[in-house]
Amino acid sequence: MPAIDLRLSELSQQERYKVLSSIVIPRPIALVTALMENGQVNAAPHSFFNAFSDDPPIIALGVALRPDKTLKDTARLALHNREFVVNLVDEAYATRMSDAAIDFPPDVSEVEALGLETLPSTDIKTPRLKDAPFSYECKHMVTLHFSAERAFIVGAVIAGAIAGTAGSIFVGTTSSARAAVHAGRADI
């Protein structure tokens, strides 16, 4: 089969999304939580996200803006509060994560509406999701705007939590981290 040459500038936004999101696989989806002005917790899935550095530890989120060019709730709250939590969810969480993508009004908590449970974070006010296998507490570093429709939020990972059996990925890490994982949950 011959190679297919792509010029992304000639593709529609939907075609570009499909090309980019289907080539970088497996691609985890983050369910990001941010604290709302009324004290409730906002949650939204982000499919363009990843870890970008371990020194310093950095996670970045690609965010889409609303049609009126304003930031969606999670991005707006992450900037306002200067913090957010990146929760990695598993297959058991897939339906709830998908439901969190519904465009809820800004004053409605997706966490409350969907019956998601939270736990306090270690070093920031924004809570993490109780059933997430991994959660990373992030402090906002910088936001870059690449177009009127897209922004890139960079966060420094300052703490995290690993739920129960998810800790098995840490084979070969420091003995203290392994001990914490074997105890059932590790705060890192």
Side-chain angles (χ1 to χ4, degrees):
M1 177 177 223
I4 299 172
D5 292 327
L6 296 174
R7 289 194 175 42
L8 274 64
S9 62
E10 296 173 4
L11 301 177
S12 70
Q13 184 278 326
Q14 184 176 10
E15 292 167 327
R16 285 191 307 271
Y17 175 84
K18 185 161 181 79
V19 166
L20 291 171
S21 65
S22 63
I23 291 174
V24 180
I25 55 174
R27 186 170 51 96
I29 298 175
L31 189 50
V32 178
T33 50
L35 205 55
M36 298 167 61
E37 292 90 344
N38 63 10
Q40 294 180 305
V41 182
N42 169 272
H46 288 266
S47 62
F48 281 123
F49 105 94
N50 217 318
F52 282 89
S53 172
D54 65 344
D55 190 15
I58 293 174
I59 285 182
L61 306 173
V63 296
L65 278 65
R66 295 184 185 283
D68 68 359
K69 311 300 186 237
T70 59
L71 290 171
K72 292 184 178 180
D73 297 335
T74 306
R76 179 182 54 78
L77 294 167
L79 292 174
H80 175 77
N81 298 321
R82 314 282 308 156
E83 65 179 44
F84 55 95
V85 178
V86 173
N87 300 278
L88 297 174
V89 296
D90 55 18
E91 255 184 272
Y93 226 95
T95 299
R96 292 177 285 178
M97 179 180 58
S98 181
D99 290 346
I102 296 169
D103 194 15
F104 287 86
D107 61 338
V108 173
S109 166
E110 293 83 355
V111 169
E112 190 174 305
L114 299 173
L116 306 177
E117 294 182 66
T118 63
L119 290 172
S121 288
T122 304
D123 291 339
I124 64 175
K125 292 179 184 176
T126 302
R128 60 188 173 89
L129 295 175
K130 178 183 176 192
D131 296 328
F134 301 96
S135 297
Y136 298 106
E137 299 173 29
C138 300
K139 287 281 192 178
H140 176 265
M141 293 176 74
V142 66
T143 297
L144 306 170
H145 291 268
F146 293 105
S147 72
E149 291 85 23
R150 301 284 182 265
F152 195 63
I153 297 175
V154 180
V157 180
I158 58 167
I162 305 166
T165 57
S168 63
I169 67 157
F170 285 94
V171 175
T173 58
T174 66
S175 59
S176 60
R178 281 196 304 271
V181 168
H182 291 300
R185 184 175 155 272
D187 286 325
I188 49 176

